[in-house]
Amino acid sequence: MEAPNLLENGNIPQKKKLLHCQVAFYTLIFVLIIISALASVVFCSIHHKQALGSCWAHGSLKKPSTPNLKDVMSWEWNLDHCNGFVQKDDDEYLVIEQSGNYFIYAQINRKQHMEVSFTLMMYKEPDILLNKVVGPKEGDERGTVNFGRPFFLQKGDKLYCQGNFNLNYILEGNQTYWGLYKI
């Protein structure tokens, strides 16, 4: 009786071995990514003892009702899951109702060349500067500045944005905004 013919390097072709290893490797990576994402969500929800739908307040710049209005910025607010955390005061301010860590972000977009650098400042009353970003006056016709960082805020803190620019130079709506979320 004659021995069966063996394929090169064993009974399984090399290409099939490689394909099986690749599939197993990618499946393992996918499973690890899913586990790590779920673990961080569970850890955060346990650590902060908050619901997964945490407070998020976002304001888009309203078109100024008065031409050439400077400094006063009015916002169209969207507050999601913010009862007991944050409330709006008029269209200019956010008031913190629960002390804690909040991530504050802001962005402004210039729509035309300006004579001076444009500056966005985030304040907490009474006139305590939390953050300041400066954009160029030169370069592209349009310019953008933004920031985002965490802050510890106390109950009763009143936040607002101010700029050194004529609002006619700034894009309204979802092009210029600020907001915060509870972390």
Side-chain angles (χ1 to χ4, degrees), residues 10-22:
N11 289 333
I12 301 174
Q14 287 297 329
K15 288 183 181 179
K16 280 190 175 181
K17 276 186 184 178
L18 182 61
L19 179 65
H20 292 297
C21 288
Q22 283 179 331

Side-chain angles (χ1 to χ4, degrees), residues 55 80-86 97:
C55 171
D80 290 333
H81 308 288
C82 289
N83 288 340
F85 293 103
V86 177
E97 293 184 325

Side-chain angles (χ1 to χ4, degrees), residues 4-172:
N5 285 338
L6 295 177
L7 297 173
E8 183 179 316
N9 295 324
N11 289 333
I12 301 174
Q14 287 297 329
K15 288 183 181 179
K16 280 190 175 181
K17 276 186 184 178
L18 182 61
L19 179 65
H20 292 297
C21 288
Q22 283 179 331
V23 168
F25 177 73
Y26 289 125
T27 303
L28 177 64
I29 288 176
F30 177 75
V31 168
L32 289 174
I33 289 171
I34 296 299
I35 290 172
S36 66
L38 289 174
S40 37
V41 167
V42 168
F43 175 76
C44 285
S45 65
I46 290 171
H47 178 70
H48 294 291
K49 296 179 183 132
Q50 288 178 235
L52 293 177
S54 190
C55 171
W56 180 53
H58 180 83
S60 299
L61 185 64
K62 284 183 177 180
K63 186 172 180 73
S65 56
T66 310
N68 299 325
L69 192 60
K70 205 173 185 178
D71 289 340
V72 178
M73 301 173 87
S74 213
W75 306 93
E76 197 169 304
W77 288 108
N78 182 13
L79 280 68
D80 290 333
H81 308 288
C82 289
N83 288 340
F85 293 103
V86 177
Q87 69 178 1
K88 66 179 185 167
D89 183 15
D90 297 321
D91 288 337
E92 299 169 33
Y93 304 96
L94 284 180
V95 179
I96 303 302
E97 293 184 325
Q98 184 183 74
S99 297
N101 292 311
Y102 292 83
F103 188 85
I104 301 176
Y105 59 90
Q107 175 174 300
I108 58 172
N109 282 292
R110 174 174 50 96
K111 61 183 173 183
Q112 62 191 47
H113 178 80
M114 295 172 65
E115 297 299 318
V116 297
S117 298
F118 63 111
T119 304
L120 177 68
M121 295 151 292
M122 175 66 61
Y123 285 97
K124 172 171 85 167
E125 282 197 342
D127 295 328
I128 298 169
L129 182 64
L130 294 178
N131 210 358
K132 177 180 178 178
V133 288
V134 179
K137 64 179 179 180
E138 303 289 329
D140 293 336
E141 186 173 303
R142 296 177 179 217
T144 300
V145 295
N146 55 46
F147 77 84
R149 62 178 274 213
F151 291 91
F152 180 81
L153 299 173
Q154 299 283 339
K155 180 179 180 175
D157 284 348
K158 195 170 183 179
L159 308 174
Y160 63 97
C161 278
Q162 217 172 26
N164 72 333
F165 41 78
N166 179 315
L167 292 178
N168 292 328
Y169 287 95
I170 304 302
L171 291 170
E172 300 95 18

